[in-house]
Amino acid sequence: MARKPSFRLSVSEFVFAILLLFSGIMLGFSSGGFVVSFQKIGFTVLSSVQEGVNFVASGVAGAFHSISELKTLREENRILTEKLENYEYLQRNNAEVRKENMRLKEQLDFVTHFDQKNFSARIIGRNPDSLYSGLTIDKGSRNGIRKGMPVLAVQNGTVGLVGKVVTVGLSTCMVMPVYDIKCSVSCRIQNTRDIGLVSGSGSQDAPLQMKYIKKRVLPELNYGDIIVTSGESENYLRDIPVGTISKVTVTGYDSSLNIEVTPIIDFSRLEIVTVTDLKEANPNYAGGAD
């Protein structure tokens, strides 16, 4: 069996190799080659570390700057949102003020053209009870209001009857509207001058009822004809619009017509009324100077 050749290094060969390696190293140091290489390596490592540190520092600084900038933007957004809300509120408020001024101007023009003394008042309460549909207004005996005074209103340039005062307090009073089931007003059909009695149905959404108009008048009636106060009662002024004819019914056993009347006043939108004193002259009457 053949033996495998083995590589063995003698002592003298090992020493020679060590000396050769040492000589090469010394030669490298003496020529500056290794020094330059170590400098390059050190510079490369150091610059890489510096670059990494700078990158991390820049990232951290950028993150803090972004957070600060985001906080600033949020605060600016909050301020702008509040300003927008305030602006929208002011716009709505200005719109309401303009509408209120228009209503007051309309009311002022209205009250100065009546030769009777009158009081403007605001509705502050409503009683929806079908048996007694009262309206509470913010004027009372201390303002000169008395029981039985007629109450009017103006809407979209049209004057209409609201009702009459039935209960008077010191600073408030109760008004019975024309749609109240207990309210009855002597009225005329404006174009025919026939007289009848208008009464309420108990609801502001239901039509009024006009009675005691003879059947012979039927050919002269038209839908939309205006019903006005007759002025024959001391409780109401003459020729104040109450409503318009919306339906006429003929019954065989009755000599009178059943006439439905739509109120001239939209009570669901009514806010300001005028209480009229039939016994005193209006000191602000616009025609007084003529």
Side-chain angles (χ1 to χ4, degrees):
M1 184 176 180
R3 296 178 63 184
K4 292 182 179 181
S6 60
F7 177 78
R8 291 184 178 181
L9 191 63
S10 63
V11 176
S12 60
E13 291 173 343
F14 178 75
V15 172
F16 176 77
I18 292 298
L19 291 174
L20 182 61
L21 179 61
F22 180 73
S23 298
I25 293 173
M26 293 304 293
L27 180 62
F29 273 109
S30 63
S31 63
F34 284 155
V35 175
V36 174
S37 298
F38 284 143
Q39 287 178 346
K40 289 182 178 179
I41 293 171
F43 175 75
T44 301
V45 172
L46 182 59
S47 62
S48 298
V49 171
Q50 288 177 339
E51 185 178 4
V53 171
N54 181 65
F55 177 78
V56 172
S58 298
V60 172
F64 277 109
H65 178 71
S66 297
I67 292 173
S68 177
E69 191 176 46
L70 179 60
K71 184 178 180 181
T72 302
L73 290 175
R74 284 179 176 174
E75 181 64 18
E76 290 178 353
N77 182 66
R78 183 187 66 80
I79 294 173
L80 289 174
T81 300
E82 289 181 355
K83 287 182 177 180
L84 179 60
E85 290 175 351
N86 291 336
Y87 175 77
E88 291 176 346
Y89 170 76
L90 289 175
Q91 286 292 96
R92 291 193 299 269
N93 193 50
N94 287 339
E96 287 299 320
V97 170
R98 286 194 294 270
K99 290 179 181 178
E100 181 70 10
N101 287 339
M102 290 177 63
R103 286 193 293 267
L104 291 175
K105 182 180 182 302
E106 187 178 49
Q107 192 73 16
L108 179 62
D109 292 341
F110 164 61
V111 299
T112 56
H113 284 78
F114 268 90
D115 54 3
Q116 290 87 4
K117 186 177 181 180
N118 48 70
F119 312 86
S120 292
R122 185 179 297 275
I123 296 175
I124 59 174
R126 298 172 189 261
N127 182 2
D129 189 348
S130 60
L131 296 178
Y132 190 77
S133 307
L135 304 174
T136 304
I137 61 175
D138 63 352
K139 291 290 191 297
S141 59
R142 65 166 58 175
N143 306 106
I145 305 295
R146 298 189 305 273
K147 183 178 178 180
M149 284 185 172
V151 181
L152 314 176
V154 55
Q155 281 184 338
N156 302 320
T158 301
V159 179
L161 181 66
V162 173
K164 66 179 179 179
V165 176
V166 291
T167 305
V168 181
L170 185 62
S171 57
T172 60
C173 66
M174 182 73 74
V175 175
M176 181 172 64
V178 292
Y179 61 80
D180 189 280
I181 198 169
K182 296 180 181 179
C183 184
S184 295
V185 184
S186 176
C187 294
R188 291 183 184 275
I189 301 174
Q190 191 177 54
N191 66 330
T192 68
R193 307 310 293 174
D194 289 279
I195 193 168
L197 194 65
V198 173
S199 57
S201 301
S203 171
Q204 66 179 21
D205 300 319
L208 308 175
Q209 302 294 325
M210 189 172 193
K211 303 288 187 180
Y212 310 119
I213 300 296
K214 299 299 182 180
K215 288 182 178 180
R216 59 177 173 75
V217 184
L218 182 61
E220 303 177 55
L221 298 182
N222 298 288
Y223 294 119
D225 283 350
I226 298 175
I227 308 301
V228 298
T229 54
S230 66
E232 294 183 357
S233 169
E234 294 183 355
N235 288 333
Y236 299 100
L237 296 166
R238 183 184 179 88
D239 290 331
I240 299 298
V242 177
T244 57
I245 294 177
S246 56
K247 185 178 180 180
V248 179
T249 304
V250 180
T251 54
Y253 57 85
D254 197 340
S255 61
S256 299
L257 299 172
N258 292 323
I259 301 175
E260 290 188 0
V261 178
T262 300
I264 206 78
I265 295 295
D266 183 352
F267 286 91
S268 65
R269 296 184 176 182
L270 188 61
E271 296 180 58
I272 300 174
V273 298
T274 298
V275 183
T276 304
D277 188 345
L278 301 180
K279 297 181 180 180
E280 289 192 43
N282 183 5
N284 300 314
Y285 178 47
D290 296 337

